[in-house]
Amino acid sequence: MIPPPAPAGQMSQQYRPQRERMVEHLRKHHRIRDERVLRAMAEVPRHLFVPEALRSNAYGDHALPISANQTISQPFIVARMTELLEVDSDSKVLEIGAGSGYQTAVLARVAGSVFAIERIADLAREAQKRIRELGIYNATVKCFDGTLGWDAHAPYDAALAAAGGPDVPEPLLAQLKVGGRLVMPVGQSRDTQRLVRVLRTDKGFEREDHGACAFVPLIGRYGWTNEK
Ligand code: SAH
């Protein structure tokens, strides 16, 4: 059963038709099935997470540049990753690579609480500000190396990394609850990855492959070592 929608708070009515069209595209073309994810994406004003000059392009199904050479993920990949996490309103979620904060805002609409990490200080600060301005209070964005996880709030029901590493960082696995799900891009090259889902069971970890993807690199102690 689909729970009733949370109050829309200060969610913007601007670009509503474009948002509805984006959601129809996710449903029909990409076969996103989770109605809670689709509803969250119909509500979160994506245009407020992109540079002002790109606002009219915010609802196309593509990634866009944000500041500091990073990107806001493509709507399809946000929807797919969120769906794969299988969260509900009681879930505690860890996010690595908050970037613009768009994925953070979507997660906050479907989960109980979100602890998000971003390694670039300006991005982290702006993401937190946007999220608060939208009236979202169950998500916190902090600046540090997310490959270490966020031990203070562990264990998590779900974890998502929006940057590609050579493998899943050990601390993220350690901070996952038994029964928890982790989704992240993993690849031996910095530029292309496979979308991997890891399920923690009482016997260990099970890995699934969810296809090719291309993310910016995950840089940190358990990721890639430097910018290039
Ligand atoms: N979901 C975000 C995607 C941002 S791109 C959005 O839609 O806006 C990925 C982000 O991961 C970048 O902002 C980059 O700075 C960040 N990142 C890379 N390595 C990281 C690390 N070790 N810890 C935290 N953030 C990291």
Side-chain angles (χ1 to χ4, degrees), residues 74-173:
Q74 175 191 2
F76 159 60
I77 204 82
V78 171
R80 168 66 74 228
M81 289 176 95
T82 311
E83 186 170 67
L84 286 170
L85 289 182
E86 294 179 9
V87 293
D88 60 32
S89 54
D90 290 327
S91 306
K92 186 163 42 155
V93 183
L94 174 67
E95 185 196 3
I96 293 100
S100 67
Y102 177 68
Q103 171 80 73
T104 318
V106 171
L107 283 171
R109 302 292 289 166
V110 296
S113 54
V114 183
F115 295 94
I117 313 171
E118 168 53 53
R119 69 180 278 274
I120 299 175
D122 285 350
L123 290 180
R125 199 167 37 241
E126 284 164 30
Q128 180 75 84
K129 182 162 169 274
R130 279 188 197 107
I131 284 166
R132 288 287 181 272
E133 282 169 1
L134 289 173
I136 294 172
Y137 293 99
N138 60 336
T140 309
V141 186
K142 283 264 157 68
C143 179
F144 57 96
D145 175 7
T147 67
L148 303 171
W150 195 338
D151 205 28
H153 303 288
Y156 299 95
D157 298 286
L160 178 157
D167 206 348
V168 180
E170 263 319 307
L172 304 189
L173 295 175

Side-chain angles (χ1 to χ4, degrees), residues 46-47 49-67 69-75 100 216:
R46 182 170 163 90
H47 62 280
F49 293 83
V50 306
E52 224 168 319
L54 298 178
R55 278 195 182 160
S56 58
N57 298 329
Y59 296 99
D61 194 18
H62 39 66
L64 287 170
I66 54 174
S67 48
N69 255 337
Q70 304 301 322
T71 54
I72 176 171
S73 307
Q74 175 191 2
S100 67
V216 300

